[in-house]
Amino acid sequence: MTDPRIHGLYAITDPTLIPDRRLLPAAEAALRGGAHLLQYRDKTASSAQRRQRASQLQALCRKHGALFLVNDDPTLAADIDADGVHIGQSDGGIARARQLLGPDKIIGVTCHSNLILAEQAADAGADYVAFGRFFPSRTKPQAPPADPLILDRARQRLTIPLVAIGGVDADNGCQLLAQGADALAVIHALFSHQSPEQIEQAARRLAALFSPA
């Protein structure tokens, strides 16, 4: 049975789309709109800035009953007692993240379009695996493409949740859910909007994909 915590709209911040003062209002708008998970992703800020912003985002997530994860930095996630971390294939490994975070925190792993990597991650104790990009991505245009059918194959072989990422929006998300995705990770379709009101509306459209017809 998959972890029920990893389900629904999974918002990921981007410092280019929502820099500095826009970060917190934008993130809260996504949470108001129905994001169940929020990941703080920022590879450009200083350590002090990242810690401050992560702490502020975590407070917002707790206010809205959402989960907060840190991208690529299990040490920061442990320091602020985040709900978990998302790591890539070169971010220190699941064992190190688990040692830092403890047994109850969430560890997600990027697996691109590689089912073997996903199986290895599951065996090593990952709480979810992420596949993608499934559609053209403005955030990571050079990311290797993934066929949505990998979600169906992964669903047959894995019991942990599957997250779909890469060009996901309210128009194509249903296809990925039908193939077996438990959560949709979204960046541009949320945070490319200029106002918090527009971000909240976009989040509501995406969150509605998970509601029964």
Side-chain angles (χ1 to χ4, degrees):
M1 182 176 181
T2 63
D3 188 332
R5 296 176 297 173
I6 314 301
H7 177 79
L9 175 57
Y10 185 165
I12 301 178
T13 69
D14 181 277
T16 301
L17 294 174
I18 44 172
D20 304 328
R21 294 182 182 180
R22 290 193 60 211
L23 174 63
L24 296 181
E28 186 158 30
L31 293 167
R32 285 197 308 267
H36 286 184
L37 304 97
L38 179 74
Q39 181 189 135
Y40 173 52
R41 182 178 181 274
D42 187 347
K43 299 178 184 296
T44 60
S46 69
S47 295
Q49 288 173 322
R50 294 179 72 251
R51 182 184 178 90
Q52 179 186 27
R53 292 168 185 171
S55 296
Q56 292 171 326
L57 289 170
Q58 178 175 247
L60 285 180
C61 286
R62 288 180 174 171
K63 173 184 172 183
H64 289 274
L67 295 173
F68 178 66
L69 284 76
V70 174
N71 177 266
D72 287 356
D73 193 340
T75 299
L76 174 58
D79 285 347
I80 68 167
D81 195 28
D83 295 300
V85 68
H86 182 89
I87 58 175
Q89 291 296 319
S90 59
D91 295 318
I94 295 170
R96 175 177 174 271
R98 184 63 71 197
Q99 183 179 24
L100 287 166
L101 293 170
D104 299 324
K105 299 296 186 179
I106 295 167
I107 298 175
V109 181
T110 294
C111 296
H112 304 295
S113 60
N114 192 319
L115 189 53
I116 293 175
L117 289 178
E119 291 177 320
Q120 291 173 344
D123 290 342
D127 295 287
Y128 74 83
V129 289
F131 293 105
R133 63 173 174 88
F134 290 103
F135 306 104
S137 169
R138 299 187 187 186
T139 305
K140 288 188 174 182
Q142 304 305 319
D147 188 321
L149 288 175
I150 195 172
L151 294 167
D152 182 64
R153 294 195 293 269
R155 182 76 294 141
Q156 296 176 36
R157 297 169 67 171
L158 300 174
T159 59
I160 61 175
L162 311 178
V163 175
I165 189 170
V168 180
D169 59 30
D171 294 322
N172 59 37
C174 284
Q175 177 185 353
L176 302 175
L177 296 179
Q179 294 291 161
D182 297 285
L184 299 177
V186 181
I187 303 173
H188 196 273
L190 278 175
F191 296 124
S192 63
H193 297 286
Q194 291 303 304
S195 72
E197 293 77 16
Q198 290 172 317
I199 293 171
E200 181 177 349
Q201 290 171 4
R204 290 189 185 281
R205 289 193 295 271
L206 285 153
L209 300 179
F210 297 89
S211 300

